Amino acid sequence: MKYYIIANPNSGTKKTIDILKDFVEPKLKDYKIDFDILVTKSKGHATKIVSENNLSEYDAIIIVGGDGTIHEVINGMMQNKTNNIPIGIIPSGSGNSLVHDLGEFNHCKIIDEIVKNIPKDIDILEVSDNKKKIYSINLIGWGMGTDIGILAEKMRWLGPMRYNIASLIKIFTYNPRKATLIIDRKEKISKFSLLTICNTIHIGKGMKMAPKAKLNDGKMDIVFIENNFTRIQLLKLFPTIFNGKHIKNIKVQYKQAEYLKLIPINNEVLNIDGEMKGITPIEIKVIKSGIRILN
């Protein structure tokens, strides 16, 4: 067995290198597994390396990082058509949304599971704008979701809590957007406050935005709110996102679908897996069993 380890030293609280040296390398040596290590140097580095190099000599790619690093690796794999190589995830990010869904954060236990080499297929989402395709493992946010992502990126110094604080701020400052939303051929034209398309249950720091989501059901989970909430009502709704009870509110709409198209009046950037990228209008479809994971 031979692994290619991709480690992002800037993920989360910047403990990636400590995790790599204290847990990952010693455990893999105990298992007598060979490995090479790439420590990323800049945003987009992982995508570039994975997309441009032949990784066929490796049995798996091990990611030591957060959701953003996973996003980069998966996009590199899809560009290079190497998505049959399984990936293992050692969390060191701020949100670690995918790992929240997988349910295990103990680094040693995760490595023990990875070396069993029993891959599981999970879905990913393909986002198409007018210029390119982007692949999402976690979420696509628009409206308030984009506003929160942009503000949270400016507040990285706050660590994991930046998502929650940015959300509270944007509840009082967001602007609703008019758009056409098509979900599995059913069209809705309205003003929207929030639209979040999820592949995972969790987003941000432990928020259960899509509590019905499953990683292998061939569906995306869509949560949206039209502009029919007062800001105080939204503030009261916010804490319920952490246990998933927000979907019981009659004004919160929750759909599961295979296809979505978003056509806003004004085009703007999206929040894709915590990264500000892509531009509306967009089409999203589910890539069933798009990647294989070892966790």
Side-chain angles (χ1 to χ4, degrees):
M1 299 286 287
K2 188 174 183 180
Y3 293 162
Y4 189 56
I5 300 172
I6 298 176
N8 182 353
N10 295 312
S11 284
T13 53
K14 300 186 178 180
K15 294 182 178 179
T16 294
I17 300 303
D18 291 338
I19 293 169
L20 187 64
K21 298 297 183 184
D22 295 343
F23 295 99
V24 181
E25 291 187 37
K27 286 283 285 183
L28 293 182
K29 288 176 182 176
D30 287 344
Y31 276 109
K32 295 181 171 47
I33 292 175
D34 293 332
F35 55 86
D36 292 325
I37 299 174
L38 168 73
V39 177
T40 59
K41 297 179 179 178
S42 59
K43 185 171 286 190
H45 189 191
T47 298
K48 180 177 174 62
I49 293 298
V50 175
S51 66
E52 294 180 357
N53 288 276
N54 183 355
L55 303 178
S56 60
E57 67 175 294
Y58 299 101
D59 296 287
I61 296 173
I62 308 301
I63 300 166
V64 188
D67 295 320
T69 314
I70 301 169
H71 173 86
E72 287 195 20
V73 170
I74 287 170
N75 276 268
M77 292 172 72
M78 296 301 289
Q79 291 172 29
N80 198 8
K81 295 181 171 42
T82 55
N83 53 311
N84 61 320
I85 300 176
I87 64 172
I89 303 159
I90 312 294
S92 68
S94 298
N96 302 302
S97 299
L98 177 57
V99 176
H100 268 287
D101 276 31
L102 297 172
E104 181 58 73
F105 276 85
N106 182 284
H107 295 117
C108 291
K109 290 182 179 179
I110 290 173
I111 296 167
D112 289 339
E113 188 65 28
I114 286 171
V115 299
K116 291 178 183 177
N117 195 34
I118 306 174
K120 300 177 282 285
D121 292 342
I122 67 171
D123 305 335
I124 58 174
L125 305 181
E126 181 183 84
V127 185
S128 301
D129 65 15
N130 289 327
K131 295 182 179 179
K132 59 186 175 300
K133 295 183 188 297
I134 303 170
Y135 296 91
S136 168
I137 190 66
N138 176 209
L139 71 94
I140 300 101
W142 173 77
M144 195 192 307
T146 298
D147 296 344
I148 290 167
I150 291 171
L151 180 58
E153 187 63 21
K154 296 175 181 177
M155 301 167 69
R156 276 193 165 270
W157 55 277
L158 287 172
M161 289 302 295
R162 70 183 186 272
Y163 298 109
N164 302 346
I165 294 170
S167 298
L168 291 171
I169 291 171
K170 283 303 171 182
I171 284 172
F172 291 100
T173 60
Y174 78 92
N175 293 311
R177 279 89 152 171
K178 187 174 183 180
T180 299
L181 183 62
I182 302 169
I183 300 174
D184 283 350
R185 294 180 291 197
K186 293 182 179 179
E187 182 178 294
K188 176 181 281 288
I189 301 173
S190 184
K191 276 192 171 182
F192 298 92
S193 299
L194 172 76
L195 171 65
T196 305
I197 301 100
C198 294
N199 191 49
T200 58
I201 292 172
H202 296 86
I203 68 169
K205 185 60 178 175
M207 300 179 192
K208 291 185 176 181
M209 178 61 77
K212 298 180 182 180
K214 295 180 180 179
L215 291 169
N216 59 356
D217 62 356
K219 302 283 187 181
M220 68 184 88
D221 288 56
I222 304 156
V223 181
F224 65 92
I225 300 173
E226 295 179 67
N227 189 37
N228 55 3
F229 267 87
T230 67
R231 296 181 193 270
I232 296 300
Q233 286 174 325
L234 279 176
L235 184 63
K236 290 179 179 178
L237 182 71
F238 177 70
T240 66
I241 296 175
F242 289 90
N243 58 22
K245 291 183 178 179
H246 62 291
I247 67 170
K248 295 182 178 180
N249 189 300
I250 59 172
K251 292 186 178 181
V252 176
Q253 300 192 56
Y254 191 110
K255 309 285 186 183
Q256 292 179 307
E258 297 175 1
Y259 172 86
L260 178 144
K261 188 171 186 178
L262 173 67
I263 312 168
I265 294 295
N266 298 308
N267 293 330
E268 58 188 333
V269 71
L270 299 152
N271 176 358
I272 303 180
D273 296 349
E275 305 292 326
M276 301 305 112
K277 55 171 54 177
I279 192 79
T280 56
I282 56 166
E283 291 182 274
I284 305 172
K285 68 178 183 178
V286 180
I287 305 297
K288 177 68 174 169
S289 302
I291 63 165
R292 307 166 78 205
I293 61 170
L294 293 170
N295 291 53

